[in-house]
Amino acid sequence: MGAARGASRRMSDSYRQEVRDLALFAEMDMGNFEALMRGAYVQNFPPRIELITEGELPDFLHVVVSGSVDLFSTWNGRETSLATVRPVSTFILAATIRGAPYLMSARTLEKSRIVLLPSEDVRRLFDSDSVFARAIVTELSQCYRAIVKNTKDLKLRTSLERLANYLLRQRQRNGTDEFDLMMEKRRLASFLGMTPENLSRSFKGLEPFGVKVAGNHIVITDVADLMRFAKPSPLIDDDST
């Protein structure tokens, strides 16, 4: 783990409160929460630092309190981006609870501040604090459903349809028809299961449906036409289901 590569210190009250406010920790017994925090550290990491490596056993549960983290995997000389973690949220909970090897690696995309919670303490409180255990089960179920939706997106849609629906989701999150992409195009192509060349062709393919692209800046000029083409589904695209 990359703990030694960042500046480490005990947590301030503000970071403790950010962790406490997460649904995962909000309702657990205060004494148990304080016990968990006593073993916790906060670290600052520069960009492009690998925090965890797939195949390794989890020493810590990580909480991103600033910056962003790329979850990715490699095989046979190839690499794919699986998710981006933004504040304030945890990764990778399932490996921590099971004490099983990481199935993904993680690296910082920018200067990031990470809270480190010892995995042994998290597992001990999972066994002893029933409220905390229910919150963990709830979060893991949400992660499972997100994985199912992502698999459906990859297997049921063409690359053009995946990109169209991704842009519609970003439009909804930004609350505007004009926005900047949240990641560089090479990472976006990997996330959507495309090559960079295919992504470039797909952007051009969406121009007749009201999508204008200038660098990382997106303008959707005809939302209705794009939605007719993309056919967004709450069983794939809605984060709340």
Side-chain angles (χ1 to χ4, degrees):
M1 215 285 300
R5 288 169 283 184
S8 174
R9 62 180 185 271
R10 289 289 181 176
M11 291 176 58
S12 68
D13 289 341
S14 63
Y15 298 139
R16 291 162 70 94
Q17 190 58 50
E18 285 186 273
V19 175
R20 181 66 171 174
D21 289 342
L22 288 171
L24 188 62
F25 305 101
E27 301 299 328
M28 70 184 299
D29 176 81
M30 179 57 77
N32 288 337
F33 178 75
E34 291 298 333
L36 183 60
M37 291 300 103
R38 279 195 291 273
Y41 289 87
V42 61
Q43 291 189 228
N44 295 312
F45 294 94
R48 306 293 298 178
I49 291 295
E50 189 164 304
L51 301 170
I52 63 174
T53 302
E54 59 186 313
E56 293 183 350
L57 292 174
D59 294 323
F60 297 96
L61 176 64
H62 298 67
V63 184
V64 182
V65 293
S66 70
S68 57
V69 172
D70 178 35
L71 300 181
F72 67 99
S73 184
T74 59
W75 181 82
N76 198 28
R78 294 189 287 275
E79 180 179 303
T80 186
S81 182
L82 299 168
T84 301
V85 184
R86 303 186 187 280
V88 176
S89 54
T90 64
F91 71 94
I92 301 173
L93 181 58
T96 293
I97 295 302
R98 292 202 61 195
Y102 293 121
L103 299 180
M104 296 180 282
S105 299
R107 64 185 164 218
T108 54
L109 291 169
E110 56 189 308
K111 183 179 179 181
S112 300
R113 186 167 291 137
I114 312 291
V115 172
L116 305 169
L117 306 175
S119 294
E120 286 187 6
D121 293 347
V122 174
R123 287 193 292 270
R124 176 175 54 80
L125 291 174
F126 175 75
D127 291 335
S128 63
D129 189 319
S130 60
V131 174
F132 183 45
R134 284 196 296 272
I136 286 174
V137 170
T138 297
E139 180 149 329
L140 290 176
S141 70
Q142 291 170 342
C143 292
Y144 168 77
R145 291 178 67 82
I147 290 170
V148 171
K149 290 178 181 181
N150 186 58
T151 302
K152 290 168 68 175
D153 188 45
L154 288 171
K155 288 182 172 291
L156 294 174
R157 287 170 169 165
T158 66
S159 58
L160 198 61
E161 290 167 340
R162 291 198 297 276
L163 178 58
N165 280 284
Y166 175 83
L167 295 177
L168 288 172
R169 292 193 297 269
Q170 295 306 304
R171 170 186 175 270
Q172 183 175 12
R173 288 167 186 163
N174 284 279
T176 176
D177 296 340
E178 188 171 345
F179 52 89
D180 291 328
L181 294 172
M182 296 291 289
M183 62 181 79
E184 62 173 353
K185 287 181 179 178
R186 182 171 293 276
R187 283 193 63 243
L188 177 59
S190 176
F191 177 71
L192 293 175
M194 307 181 195
T195 64
E197 296 76 18
N198 193 9
L199 178 67
S200 180
R201 288 193 294 269
S202 293
F203 272 120
K204 291 186 181 299
L206 290 180
E207 289 178 0
F209 302 100
V211 175
K212 292 185 177 180
V213 184
N216 273 5
H217 190 68
I218 306 296
V219 179
I220 300 177
T221 60
D222 192 332
V223 176
D225 203 21
L226 185 61
M227 290 187 70
R228 277 193 294 270
F229 169 75
K231 298 180 177 63
S233 166
L235 298 181
I236 300 177
D237 304 294
D238 191 344
D239 290 338
S240 65
T241 58

